[in-house]
Amino acid sequence: MPLYLYNTLTRQKELFTPYKPPYVGLYVCGPTVYGDPHLGHARAAITFDVLFRYLTYLGYKVRYVRNITDVGHLEGDADEGEDKILKKARLEKVEPIEIAHRYTALYHKAMDALNVLRPSIEPAATAHIPQQIAMIERILARGYAYVVNGSVYLDIERYRQDFPYGILSGRSVEELLAGTRELEGQGEKKNPWDFALWKRAEPTHLMQWDSPWGRGFPGWHIECSAMSIHYLGLPFDIHGGGLDLVFPHHEAEIAQAHACFGPEAQHQARFWIHNNLVTIEGQKMSKSLGNFITVEEIFTGTHPKLTRAYPPMALRLLILQAHYRSTLDFSEEALLGAYRAYLRLMSAYQRLKEVSPGSHSDFSVQAWREKVFAALDDDLNTAAALALFFSQIEDILRLRRRELFLLPEDLTLLQNTWQEVLEKILGLTFPPQVSWVNWQKVVELLIQLRRQARLEKNYGLADLLREELSGAGVRLMDFPDETLWELSA
Ligand SMILES: [Zn+2]
């Protein structure tokens, strides 16, 4: 079954074939580790997790590289402002590396909970300074960059003589010029749209390295070119990230690859894939609007916009129920809807395991399965694939109640498809997390029923309830006035 993916570079869906089958090189821009992982992080990570899982399912040997940005990402896109990690370190009076390690750990914890697989390689920018310097040296040697006061900038005017700039975002340099603000400190650039490959560091700057141009630190864009090419070669198969990275970050990466390696770089990657962003009740998510929701706040229900806690799978399903190129508007109502949908889906999955085969088949499992994979092959349409599972829930109930039948081989195919697609490809986990509060209520109810049975001298039922509860790991302790319980194994 051929997989088609939407390529931002060509603005169309294209048949995916790797350069060197069965190997696939996938690079995705990872987090800048200076804050708690939020909904935007979750959406990007889950989108490319499904791509990674699906390519693996299709038999490819995927090398998935997702970086950690721990230096060089400035507050402004135009090389101005403070380094995000340094600023946080300054505010908290700790070392920058403490900030980077703390938020890398929190990112891992949140993504593990969401059942996002770890990438094959997770390189940190600070651990790849020599590769970045080597690339800048080569760009300088080829005449596409210039040095001013210990900083190095890519010379867009010079670059445009040989390559088109703005090819990924579809922006012309004239548009870029119109949108470029005049900023202090840009005086040293030849043109405001030139971008930094290397920035000179003041002596007090906490993160700096030796370079041929003096002490400094790398620009944000060069790290992703250097690390992706270092681990995946050039050109490689797929480069991914959030839609907000198309410009300037990914546009800059393509320019760096061409400036460094010439036309053979072929836009650095064959496919450029971007997931759309998360809005909150129709608004852009931002700290200043007070609608910035972290993943942890969803798991604990501690954000003012939430009335309760939600398990990670509710969020994962919410994200997968939208196509990755559509905007996803978050609200508690939508999250609650996804949680209920998740529980329905997983209950049906469990029920499907209890179905016994019949002597004929009432519907074609093969035809349904083909539709599911056709949806996944159509630019990873997880929303359409999931809809096909939901549409089958009623039939599963009827199969379980023996109102519908499937031959043994059809039943096995159906059960396998549920397992493969929901668990392996979409990464939903089973069993669903049952809340402790609800579970306590069920135990208390059974204890109450047992007391009632004893009052009615129905000792057979009372003993049965005690034994069954014991079998389920609940040990009862009878006192004259009450029955207490504890967990046992
Ligand atoms: Zn990047």
Side-chain angles (χ1 to χ4, degrees):
M1 283 169 284
L3 170 62
Y4 282 79
L5 294 170
Y6 182 87
N7 191 351
T8 308
L9 195 58
T10 57
R11 289 163 186 71
Q12 60 187 2
K13 289 179 199 171
E14 291 181 58
L15 177 65
F16 175 73
T17 48
Y19 280 113
K20 290 176 198 149
Y23 300 99
V24 172
L26 168 64
Y27 185 90
V28 175
C29 290
T32 301
V33 280
Y34 72 107
D36 293 306
H38 54 69
L39 287 175
H41 290 121
R43 190 171 195 197
I46 288 171
T47 297
F48 292 102
D49 183 51
V50 171
L51 178 60
F52 178 39
R53 286 168 178 271
Y54 193 42
L55 290 168
T56 305
Y57 173 84
L58 293 175
Y60 293 116
K61 297 188 186 315
V62 186
R63 178 180 283 179
Y64 177 17
V65 183
R66 189 184 64 205
N67 69 304
I68 294 285
T69 295
D70 55 359
V71 68
H73 195 170
L74 306 186
E75 289 185 283
D77 271 340
D79 303 325
E80 88 279 16
E82 204 174 345
D83 182 295
K84 291 182 178 187
I85 287 161
L86 279 186
K87 182 181 180 184
K88 187 83 174 170
R90 178 171 59 75
L91 292 173
E92 298 201 7
K93 298 188 170 58
V94 296
E95 290 291 318
I97 197 167
E98 288 181 79
I99 295 296
H101 283 193
R102 181 200 305 164
Y103 290 106
T104 300
L106 285 176
Y107 181 79
H108 284 156
K109 185 173 168 236
M111 297 311 138
D112 289 349
L114 288 165
N115 202 26
V116 170
L117 298 174
R118 298 276 178 108
S120 331
I121 303 173
E122 195 169 44
T126 53
H128 296 76
I129 301 292
Q131 288 87 347
Q132 296 175 69
I133 290 176
M135 221 177 145
I136 298 168
E137 282 189 297
R138 192 161 167 168
I139 293 171
L140 274 168
R142 292 168 58 91
Y144 293 109
Y146 56 91
V147 184
V148 192
N149 301 328
S151 294
V152 186
Y153 294 98
L154 194 106
D155 186 343
I156 298 288
E157 283 306 318
R158 174 68 192 85
Y159 177 80
R160 285 180 76 208
Q161 291 168 14
D162 298 334
F163 304 96
Y165 184 64
I167 192 162
L168 185 69
S169 56
R171 296 196 199 193
S172 66
V173 167
E174 289 67 30
E175 275 178 81
L176 298 181
L177 180 59
T180 304
R181 292 163 292 161
E182 280 300 332
L183 292 152
E184 270 184 69
Q186 282 198 341
E188 65 183 26
K189 290 186 189 177
K190 282 192 198 170
N191 285 298
W193 53 83
D194 292 348
F195 60 85
L197 301 172
W198 186 265
K199 290 276 276 184
R200 184 178 77 93
E202 298 299 328
T204 53
H205 198 91
L206 285 174
M207 285 191 287
Q208 50 176 291
W209 292 264
D210 281 323
S211 81
W213 321 287
R215 301 281 291 176
F217 58 94
W220 172 37
H221 314 312
I222 195 73
E223 69 167 274
C224 284
S225 288
M227 294 191 288
S228 61
I229 295 166
H230 180 69
Y231 289 109
L232 300 176
L234 188 73
F236 55 90
D237 297 303
I238 304 173
H239 193 312
L243 198 58
D244 53 336
L245 297 180
V246 171
F247 188 87
H249 187 53
H250 290 166
E251 201 75 78
E253 278 193 54
I254 290 176
Q256 289 164 164
H258 285 154
C260 189
F261 298 102
E264 289 83 75
Q266 293 180 60
H267 310 104
Q268 186 169 327
R270 181 158 174 189
F271 278 81
W272 285 82
I273 296 179
H274 295 95
N275 65 278
N276 212 319
L277 308 178
V278 179
T279 54
I280 311 288
E281 293 164 345
Q283 285 184 304
K284 191 175 190 289
M285 189 165 77
S286 82
K287 281 189 173 138
S288 57
L289 288 173
N291 64 3
F292 193 89
I293 304 180
T294 70
V295 172
E296 186 63 22
E297 284 167 337
I298 287 177
F299 298 166
T300 55
T302 47
H303 193 277
K305 284 191 178 294
L306 299 175
T307 57
R308 52 166 291 175
Y310 292 88
M313 285 304 114
L315 178 56
R316 186 162 179 122
L317 188 69
L318 177 72
I319 287 169
L320 294 176
Q321 280 189 297
H323 186 263
Y324 76 91
R325 286 195 293 117
S326 317
T327 53
L328 172 62
D329 191 42
F330 178 90
S331 63
E332 177 160 39
E333 197 186 350
L335 183 58
L336 179 61
Y339 184 32
R340 288 178 174 153
Y342 166 70
L343 294 174
R344 274 185 75 215
L345 196 62
M346 288 297 145
S347 302
Y349 183 20
Q350 180 60 25
R351 201 174 293 135
L352 178 59
K353 292 177 183 170
E354 302 159 2
V355 173
S356 35
S359 56
H360 68 281
S361 285
D362 283 315
F363 60 91
S364 166
V365 175
Q366 187 59 39
W368 171 83
R369 180 186 157 93
E370 279 169 15
K371 282 192 217 165
V372 170
F373 281 93
L376 293 172
D377 287 335
D378 181 16
D379 194 27
L380 290 184
N381 196 341
T382 55
L386 280 164
L388 286 158
F389 282 88
F390 284 110
S391 73
Q392 211 177 46
I393 290 178
E394 287 302 314
D395 279 352
I396 288 174
L397 183 63
R398 295 181 70 199
L399 286 167
R400 172 66 180 75
R401 292 182 48 73
R402 303 191 67 74
E403 296 165 9
L404 279 181
F405 296 92
L406 285 176
L407 286 166
E409 58 270 29
D410 283 340
L411 180 59
T412 303
L413 185 66
L414 186 61
Q415 288 166 333
N416 287 347
T417 308
W418 275 67
Q419 198 261 332
E420 284 170 355
V421 176
L422 295 182
E423 287 196 288
K424 274 195 197 161
I425 298 170
L426 299 182
L428 295 167
T429 52
F430 186 81
Q433 298 96 329
V434 174
S435 93
W436 172 245
V437 174
N438 287 348
W439 199 71
Q440 273 175 309
K441 281 184 192 161
V442 172
V443 172
E444 295 292 347
L445 175 67
L446 289 169
I447 288 173
Q448 208 181 318
L449 282 174
R450 180 170 163 271
R451 288 185 77 83
Q452 190 61 36
R454 279 159 60 115
L455 281 174
E456 291 167 6
K457 302 204 179 339
N458 187 349
Y459 298 112
L461 177 59
D463 288 347
L464 179 70
L465 284 168
R466 167 186 279 276
E467 279 162 32
E468 290 295 318
L469 278 166
S470 169
V474 176
R475 195 175 73 84
L476 303 186
M477 294 172 286
D478 286 318
F479 295 94
D481 55 335
E482 65 176 338
T483 301
L484 297 179
W485 58 280
E486 64 184 14
L487 297 175
S488 70

